[in-house]
């Protein structure tokens, strides 16, 4: 009888050098349909993280997860609203989802308590939601703060309460309500009603305000007149609230993968240059599978940046352009249904780049002086939970991490993907937000080693509406004052679409970015001093501000 070969042995081995073909080989495995979209807390993500750990084991890296393994399990689970949550005004109950909708705890958006009761608290009207609070913190303390709907750029009432700012203005209030329930679209309401991924051991301690949306009817019942006719600081009746949540831990567990290449300098090896990517993605499409080529043709015309471009019904002109593309593809191959979010670029590209860096460095003739810490974060797509957990519970002393280099989506960026795109196109974010020296070093390495990248800094501007600074794992390091730099080749038609597949990745580009990260990491690791932090450190528990 023949012995069955383990799966890993069937893939041809990669070489020590960082090459386009090694990266392609790895990505074909990592972003294959068999990984089922790598959604954190599912079998697919479990399998993908097992592949990373098996490679690290084979290469001989030092495990730096928990209990001597490469893994750090995170307490990811789903949290829903318990139907017994209630709000009472003058002894009369408001109706859940019709009159009030509890807000979930999304640390970066709504830093609210999800469980707790507040008895007989006084309601106070605080004007429209916005960045300029009308109450003093003392006036808001222990009260139910009721806001009118914020105004959008055209002066119309808006349901987009997170874009308005100001939700976190009164951290000592008992509860915060915004009267937007009637204008909240069904899809957004469904989101509030659904069970959301959470770190179940890191819920706010209950002293944070409860949060909810209120219907106009309920808000007017509170104050006895239309909100338009209320003056800020108007006081209403006493209200009692009790919010409850349901919690379910993910099985199999979601897990970060953590490994180290020990530095060569006995004095400096206790400091780490961290390099990060996220191994998870969006999983499987719920509902009917879609035709791959048709979807791609549609997005090429209507959503050139994928999920980043808002959907709109195509105009007649656009429809004929979509048909043209679809028909020319159909002439080459039959269109096929697809239901797997492969996440080849997002962030398969960064995940396999880290493996190539590990493979290069472990066999390099000379190791860097400082140690190199590799972290494949999980649950980035759900809300940066893997990196939040790792930085709250680091497996090396937090202060020993001298910088974090984050790569997320680094395999695209040609002229068909993005304006000004091309072989040297690279977006860079955050490089000078804590350390001017790091920002300068990034530029110097690009010039010194002839990488020839043209850095696009536009997404790094303060207040940029796309908020990239707050939207990938590097932020979780930056909030603790660790200098970070984030590299990405940017968004494209396949971003968060079923069509983000290995066949559309530019492997020469991916190899070039990976090699640049290598040179940068080595430069920081070999500095004769620790990178100087010359900017103000943020409050690690405050919401991110770009
Ligand atoms: Zn993503």
């Amino acid at each position: 009888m023949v012995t069955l070969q383990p799966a890993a042995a069937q893939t041809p081995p990669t070489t020590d050098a960082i090459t386009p073909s090694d990266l392609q080989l790895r990505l074909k495995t990592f972003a294959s349909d068999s990984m089922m979209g790598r959604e954190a807390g599912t079998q697919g993500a479990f399998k993908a993280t097992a592949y990373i750990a098996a490679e690290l084991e084979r290469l001989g890296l030092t495990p730096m997860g928990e209990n001597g393994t490469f893994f750090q399990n995170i307490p990811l689970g789903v949290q829903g609203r318990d139907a017994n949550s209630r709000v009472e005004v003058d002894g009369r109950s408001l109706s859940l989802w019709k009159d009030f909708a509890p807000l979930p705890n999304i640390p970066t958006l709504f830093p609210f308590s999800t469980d707790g009761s507040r008895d007989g608290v006084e309601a106070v009207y605080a004007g429209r939601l916005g960045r300029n609070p009308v109450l003093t913190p003392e006036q808001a303390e222990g009260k139910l703060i009721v806001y009118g709907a914020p105004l959008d750029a055209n002066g119309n009432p808006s349901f987009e309460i997170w874009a308005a700012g100001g939700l976190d203005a009164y951290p000592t209030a008992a509860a915060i309500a915004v009267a937007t329930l009637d204008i909240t679209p069904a899809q957004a309401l469904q989101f509030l009603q659904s069970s959301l991924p959470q770190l179940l051991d890191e819920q706010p301690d209950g002293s944070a305000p409860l949060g909810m949306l209120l219907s106009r009817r309920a808000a007017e019942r509170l104050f006895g007149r239309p909100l338009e006719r209320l003056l800020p600081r108007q006081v209403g009746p006493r209200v009692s609230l009790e919010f409850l949540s349901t919690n379910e831990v993910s099985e199999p567990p979601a897990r970060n993968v953590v490994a180290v290449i020990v530095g060569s300098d006995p004095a400096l090896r206790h400091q780490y240059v961290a390099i990060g990517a996220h191994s998870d993605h969006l999983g499987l499409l719920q509902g009917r599978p879609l035709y791959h080529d048709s979807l791609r043709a549609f997005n090429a015309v209507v959503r050139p940046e994928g999920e980043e471009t808002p959907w709109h019904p195509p105009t007649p002109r656009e429809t004929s352009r979509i048909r043209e593309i679809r028909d020319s593809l159909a002439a080459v191959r039959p269109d096929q249904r697809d239901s797997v979010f492969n996440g080849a670029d997002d962030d398969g590209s960064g995940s396999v780049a880290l493996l190539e860096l590990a493979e290069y460095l472990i066999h390099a003739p000379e190791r860097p002086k400082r140690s190199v810490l590799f972290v494949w974060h999980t649950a980035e797509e759900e809300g940066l939970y893997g990196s939040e957990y790792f930085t709250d519970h680091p497996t090396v002393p937090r202060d020993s991490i001298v910088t974090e280099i984050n790569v997320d989506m680094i395999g695209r960026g040609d002229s068909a993907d993005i304006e000004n795109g091309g072989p040297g196109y690279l977006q860079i974010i955050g490089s000078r937000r804590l350390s001017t020296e790091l920002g300068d070093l990034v530029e110097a390495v690009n010039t010194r080693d002839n990488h020839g990248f043209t850095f696009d800094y536009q997404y790094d501007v303060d207040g940029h509406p796309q908020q990239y600074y707050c939207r990938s794992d590097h932020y979780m390091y930056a909030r603790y004052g660790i200098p970070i730099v984030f590299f990405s080749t940017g968004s494209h038609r396949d971003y968060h679409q079923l069509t983000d597949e290995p066949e559309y990745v530019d492997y020469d580009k991916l190899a070039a970015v990976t090699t640049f990260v290598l040179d940068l990491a080595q430069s920081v690791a070999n500095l004769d001093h620790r990178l100087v932090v010359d900017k103000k450190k943020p409050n690690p528990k405050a919401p991110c501000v770009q």
Side-chain angles (χ1 to χ4, degrees):
M1 233 159 61
V2 293
T3 321
L4 283 176
Q5 293 291 310
Q10 291 166 9
T11 354
T14 48
T15 63
D16 290 350
I18 295 167
T19 67
S21 59
D22 278 7
L23 288 158
Q24 184 168 22
L25 200 62
R26 291 187 181 286
L27 196 58
K28 262 170 121 174
T29 302
F30 193 71
S32 66
D33 283 355
S34 71
M35 297 293 187
M36 296 175 285
R38 307 191 303 275
E39 186 180 1
T42 69
Q43 283 297 342
F46 198 74
K47 194 173 162 184
T49 47
Y51 161 77
I52 295 170
E55 282 296 281
L56 297 172
E57 178 87 54
R58 181 176 73 83
L59 295 171
L61 270 81
T62 306
M64 201 49 82
E66 282 162 349
N67 308 318
T69 73
F70 288 108
F71 300 114
Q72 180 187 44
N73 287 359
I74 74 163
L76 185 74
V78 286
Q79 181 171 73
R81 298 312 108 208
D82 189 301
N84 293 314
S85 299
R86 58 180 187 87
V87 176
E88 275 171 21
V89 185
D90 285 337
R92 284 168 65 193
S93 290
L94 301 186
S95 148
L96 177 63
W97 305 123
K98 265 174 78 182
D99 288 326
F100 76 101
L103 291 171
N105 168 44
I106 301 176
T108 47
L109 295 177
F110 309 121
F112 292 128
S113 294
T114 50
D115 291 78
S117 51
R118 311 280 188 265
D119 280 327
V121 295
E122 196 173 55
V124 180
Y125 182 63
R128 288 190 184 278
L129 180 65
R131 289 191 198 283
N132 298 314
V134 298
L135 307 179
T136 64
E138 293 73 36
Q139 288 170 325
E141 188 167 347
K143 304 286 168 64
L144 163 63
I145 303 300
V146 180
Y147 285 110
L151 296 179
D152 67 15
N154 302 319
N156 299 316
S158 164
F159 74 96
E160 293 190 345
I161 58 175
W162 52 90
L167 268 182
D168 56 348
Y170 306 118
T172 58
I176 310 278
V178 195
T180 56
L181 188 51
D182 307 280
I183 56 170
T184 299
Q187 221 185 351
L189 189 60
Q190 242 171 46
F191 172 77
L192 298 181
Q193 292 174 319
S194 63
S195 290
L196 299 176
Q198 293 281 323
L199 285 177
L200 295 179
D201 77 329
E202 295 201 346
Q203 296 301 306
D205 61 6
S207 67
L210 300 171
M212 63 178 165
L213 303 184
L214 275 183
S215 68
R216 165 170 287 272
R217 197 181 70 141
E220 293 183 354
R221 190 194 291 175
L222 274 182
F223 295 103
R225 65 172 81 175
L227 293 181
E228 290 75 21
R229 290 176 38 211
L230 287 180
L231 292 175
R233 300 187 194 86
Q234 171 88 38
V235 172
R238 299 213 169 244
V239 180
S240 293
L241 307 91
E242 187 177 21
F243 285 7
L244 301 161
S245 67
T246 60
N247 297 282
E248 209 177 305
V249 184
S250 297
E251 180 53 42
R255 52 191 186 174
N256 293 323
V257 184
V258 194
V260 160
I261 287 182
V262 179
S264 60
D265 186 308
L268 294 178
R269 69 167 57 129
H270 303 291
Q271 294 179 9
Y272 298 87
V273 172
I275 309 179
H278 72 89
S279 63
D280 67 301
H281 193 56
L282 304 173
L284 301 173
L285 179 69
Q286 308 293 314
R288 274 165 67 86
L290 298 174
Y291 281 100
H292 178 107
D293 288 346
S294 300
L295 174 65
R296 200 156 195 265
F298 179 90
N299 286 334
V301 176
V302 175
R303 306 182 80 183
E305 288 192 42
E307 195 186 54
E308 206 62 21
T309 316
W311 190 93
H312 69 259
T315 63
R317 250 185 105 107
E318 288 173 332
T319 303
S320 68
R321 179 80 192 115
I322 294 166
R323 285 221 180 95
E324 232 171 81
I325 300 174
R326 200 191 55 197
D327 292 348
S328 80
L329 284 168
V332 183
R333 61 182 191 185
D335 204 351
Q336 289 199 345
R337 288 183 190 269
D338 195 355
S339 60
V340 180
F341 288 98
N342 300 81
D345 187 36
D346 183 9
D347 184 20
S349 62
S351 295
V352 299
L354 262 61
L355 280 176
E356 279 293 282
L357 289 166
E359 186 170 35
Y360 175 88
L361 284 169
I362 196 83
H363 296 137
E366 226 176 311
R367 297 267 178 91
K369 289 180 184 165
R370 288 178 179 78
S371 296
V372 178
L373 176 72
F374 292 100
V375 188
W376 288 261
H377 304 98
T378 186
E380 190 267 0
E381 301 287 8
E382 279 81 5
L384 315 185
Y385 291 122
S387 52
E388 180 185 356
Y389 190 81
F390 181 77
T391 50
D392 281 342
H393 309 272
T395 55
V396 301
R398 196 186 292 121
D399 291 345
S400 69
I401 302 174
V402 301
T403 191
E404 204 255 353
I405 304 170
N406 182 31
V407 284
D408 189 358
M409 302 172 65
I410 51 169
R412 298 286 295 261
D414 72 10
S415 55
D417 282 333
I418 200 155
E419 229 185 303
N420 312 320
Y425 179 85
L426 192 56
Q427 293 175 6
I428 176 167
I429 288 165
S431 64
R432 290 193 168 86
R433 285 180 177 256
L434 281 158
S435 166
T436 309
E437 186 182 15
L438 175 60
D440 292 348
L441 193 60
V442 170
E443 290 285 348
V445 169
N446 187 36
T447 311
R448 181 196 72 197
D449 300 341
N450 294 314
H451 288 282
F453 281 109
T454 310
F455 296 129
D456 181 353
Y457 282 96
Q458 65 169 309
Y459 297 95
D460 196 23
V461 172
D462 285 351
H464 192 285
Q466 279 168 290
Q467 302 270 312
Y468 285 176
Y469 178 63
C470 300
R471 284 176 52 190
S472 189
D473 295 316
H474 54 265
Y475 173 69
M476 289 296 166
Y477 293 78
R479 74 192 166 119
Y480 277 114
I482 298 168
I484 64 94
V485 53
F486 171 38
F487 296 109
S488 176
T489 48
S491 204
H492 47 76
R493 78 193 75 162
D494 303 307
Y495 169 65
H496 282 198
Q497 304 295 313
L498 295 171
T499 54
D500 183 5
E501 305 245 15
E503 64 179 299
Y504 306 122
V505 167
D506 175 346
Y507 293 96
D508 290 327
K509 180 69 167 284
L510 178 52
V513 177
T514 308
T515 307
F516 177 69
V517 169
L518 170 71
D519 287 349
L520 177 63
Q522 285 183 309
S523 298
V524 180
N526 289 329
L527 281 178
D528 60 6
H529 61 281
R530 188 177 168 141
L531 271 183
V532 177
V533 177
D534 58 340
K535 306 278 178 69
K536 200 173 153 264
K537 294 185 181 190
N539 169 1
K541 294 296 172 194
C544 179
V545 179
Q546 161 129 9

